[in-house]
Amino acid sequence: MPLIVVDVIRGHDETRLTALLDGIHAAVVEAFDVPATDLYQVLAQHEPFELRALDTDLGYTRSHDLTIVRVISKTRPENAKQRLYARIAENLHERIGLNGDDLIVSIVENGAADWSFGRGHAQFLTGELPDTRPVPSS
């Protein structure tokens, strides 16, 4: 169920961008224990002046490969989040050679009422998704 939004600087080829998205998805599936069919990704490419990130005094060196990943998801345990950060970094280094200095990951949490996967229904609330039950109304 996580919605993944990825921002990169324009200029990378389709093969690299596909490997980037696949590496992130593999990390989400593993760290958050979601089905492989839970695939919701948005990739946005920007001109260099449109995507800016300094190092927060951590000594990181950013490059043209800067990649910002936003994960919008229901609440997850801290150990799952830490596992996700590590797996994304490992996968992207292995698959496309991304330097860890160029990776920023942020998780935005929300609840069951904050999702509609289509047809105007809140599937987590209605129980339309497998392994979910309707949430009692207040």
Side-chain angles (χ1 to χ4, degrees):
M1 167 231 27
L3 171 62
I4 309 300
V5 180
V6 182
D7 295 279
V8 299
I9 295 173
R10 188 177 313 282
H12 300 290
D13 65 36
E14 184 177 341
T15 301
R16 179 185 173 89
L17 295 173
T18 299
L20 173 94
L21 294 173
D22 289 346
I24 293 168
H25 182 63
V28 170
V29 168
E30 180 183 329
F32 285 176
D33 193 30
V34 298
T37 56
D38 261 353
L39 177 61
Y40 301 93
Q41 297 178 321
V42 177
L43 174 68
Q45 299 182 63
H46 305 271
E47 297 301 324
F49 72 90
E50 295 175 326
L51 196 60
R52 299 169 38 165
L54 297 178
D55 69 352
T56 315
D57 291 329
L58 294 170
Y60 298 157
T61 302
R62 309 286 190 201
S63 77
H64 182 77
D65 291 335
L66 177 62
T67 302
I68 299 175
V69 179
R70 283 172 283 159
V71 179
I72 304 164
S73 175
K74 68 180 185 179
T75 301
R76 307 283 177 170
E78 284 186 18
N79 63 338
K81 293 176 185 179
Q82 290 179 331
R83 193 167 49 249
L84 178 68
Y85 302 142
R87 289 304 298 146
I88 290 175
E90 292 164 5
N91 285 355
L92 298 186
H93 180 72
E94 291 169 6
R95 293 172 187 225
I96 61 172
L98 186 71
N99 184 316
D101 286 8
D102 279 321
L103 178 63
I104 299 171
V105 181
S106 177
I107 297 175
V108 179
E109 296 180 333
N110 58 26
D114 300 316
W115 291 94
S116 172
F117 294 95
R119 299 183 179 172
H121 300 190
Q123 288 85 355
F124 284 127
L125 298 180
T126 64
E128 293 173 71
L129 285 172
D131 300 318
T132 61
R133 286 176 264 155
V135 175
S137 54
S138 40

